[in-house]
């Protein structure tokens, strides 16, 4: 396996390739699936989505912030991609305007009263996540807020499985719910919540990887004539 030229961008593409080629096999079933009560589609998707989402934010977006003290910084490797991400993550850009957004897929509730996200989520919160108001909130929320909340949920385990009706489940997951802490001086004061159907989340991860790969510099490197003067 070749070493990535641009770690955060290339990891997202590699995870995308694994999803494209291996997810159908996972869905069909693998040995020992019976011990997990069925195929590990949900586990596989989350395992691929975590580095695909977390690493580009950690190594492209966060190093640009004034207070950043980043260990990994990929911005200089592809300045066009860094500029592209800065634009889409700009304070005036809403999630509905993001090139990897899909309508009527994402629900969002900001700053709810903290609750134990590891257990069954409160009924009233799950009801709110299923409303048109929560869909509209996702659309008008800045892309950077949505993506940072998703990054935090994936990195810190703020994930819940929901059934097709949007209820907490121990069985087959049809939706994901993501929880990201809101803090004030390291004190938990609220939780931001996202909800998306599993199939729509899969489509999002694929679209996100495609968008990261589409920077002008990357395109030029892939298409230039090696025999040109």
């Amino acid at each position: 396996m070749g070493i990535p030229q641009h770690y955060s961008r290339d990891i997202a593409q590699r995870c995308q390739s694994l999803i494209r080629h291996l997810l159908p096999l996972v869905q069909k079933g693998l040995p020992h699936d019976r011990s997990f009560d069925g195929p590990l589609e949900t586990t596989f998707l989350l395992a691929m989505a975590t580095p695909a989402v977390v690493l580009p934010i950690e190594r492209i977006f966060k190093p640009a912030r004034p207070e950043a003290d980043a260990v990994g910084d990929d911005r200089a490797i592809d300045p066009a991609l860094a500029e592209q991400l800065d634009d889409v993550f700009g304070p005036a850009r809403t999630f509905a305007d993001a090139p990897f957004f899909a309508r009527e897929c994402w629900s969002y509730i900001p700053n709810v009263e903290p609750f134990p996200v590891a257990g069954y989520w409160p009924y009233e919160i799950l009801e709110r996540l299923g409303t048109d108001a929560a869909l509209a909130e996702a659309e008008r929320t800045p892309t950077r807020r949505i993506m940072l909340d998703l990054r935090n949920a994936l990195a810190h385990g703020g994930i819940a499985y929901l059934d097709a009706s949007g209820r907490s489940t121990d069985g087959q997951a049809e939706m994901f719910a993501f929880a990201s802490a809101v803090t004030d001086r390291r004190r938990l004061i609220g939780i931001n919540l996202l909800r998306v159907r599993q199939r729509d989340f899969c489509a999002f991860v694929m679209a996100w990887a495609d968008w990261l790969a589409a920077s002008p510099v990357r395109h030029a490197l892939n298409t230039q004539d090696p025999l040109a003067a």
Side-chain angles (χ1 to χ4, degrees), residues 82-161:
E83 184 177 345
Q84 178 176 290
L85 193 144
D86 286 344
D87 177 48
V88 173
F89 278 41
R93 298 288 296 272
T94 65
F95 194 37
D97 189 41
F100 39 81
F101 173 80
R103 290 182 57 82
E104 298 184 358
C105 293
W106 296 86
S107 300
Y108 186 68
I109 307 175
N111 203 22
V112 303
E113 189 75 20
F115 65 93
V117 299
Y120 279 75
W121 287 24
Y123 176 81
E124 60 274 14
I125 287 177
L126 295 175
E127 283 286 290
R128 286 180 62 192
L129 281 169
T131 62
D132 290 341
L135 286 169
E137 188 70 33
E139 293 192 7
R140 63 174 170 259
T141 297
T143 300
R144 68 161 66 187
R145 181 69 272 153
I146 296 289
M147 294 301 297
L148 284 171
D149 284 341
L150 180 58
R151 175 261 174 223
N152 292 344
L154 289 169
H156 298 295
I159 304 167
Y161 294 170

Side-chain angles (χ1 to χ4, degrees), residues 8-206:
S8 54
R9 179 197 62 209
D10 295 353
I11 286 294
Q13 289 183 270
R14 293 176 187 213
C15 290
Q16 181 198 59
S17 181
L18 287 169
I19 292 172
R20 179 175 291 118
H21 296 290
L22 297 183
L23 184 58
L25 299 178
V26 174
Q27 291 170 328
K28 289 179 181 178
L30 300 171
H32 308 297
D33 277 354
R34 187 176 301 174
S35 62
F36 303 109
D37 296 323
L40 298 177
E41 175 182 357
T42 300
T43 302
F44 176 73
L45 182 55
L46 286 174
M48 293 295 99
T50 298
V53 171
V54 171
L55 287 172
I57 292 175
E58 288 297 307
R59 296 172 67 109
I60 305 175
F61 176 68
K62 284 192 173 183
R65 299 192 299 183
E67 71 278 12
D69 187 17
V71 174
D73 185 349
D74 289 335
R75 296 177 62 83
I77 301 173
D78 187 344
L81 175 57
E83 184 177 345
Q84 178 176 290
L85 193 144
D86 286 344
D87 177 48
V88 173
F89 278 41
R93 298 288 296 272
T94 65
F95 194 37
D97 189 41
F100 39 81
F101 173 80
R103 290 182 57 82
E104 298 184 358
C105 293
W106 296 86
S107 300
Y108 186 68
I109 307 175
N111 203 22
V112 303
E113 189 75 20
F115 65 93
V117 299
Y120 279 75
W121 287 24
Y123 176 81
E124 60 274 14
I125 287 177
L126 295 175
E127 283 286 290
R128 286 180 62 192
L129 281 169
T131 62
D132 290 341
L135 286 169
E137 188 70 33
E139 293 192 7
R140 63 174 170 259
T141 297
T143 300
R144 68 161 66 187
R145 181 69 272 153
I146 296 289
M147 294 301 297
L148 284 171
D149 284 341
L150 180 58
R151 175 261 174 223
N152 292 344
L154 289 169
H156 298 295
I159 304 167
Y161 294 170
L162 308 180
D163 63 19
S165 299
R167 303 289 180 264
S168 296
T169 181
D170 294 323
Q172 181 65 43
E174 295 289 340
M175 300 183 188
F176 294 128
F178 299 103
S180 174
V182 180
T183 60
D184 180 17
R185 299 176 183 177
R186 299 187 178 182
R187 182 174 64 90
L188 179 65
I189 61 172
I191 306 176
N192 294 337
L193 303 176
L194 277 164
R195 193 191 81 169
V196 61
R197 290 191 180 277
Q198 182 170 288
R199 65 173 181 268
D200 295 328
F201 184 68
C202 182
F204 156 78
V205 174
M206 305 299 272

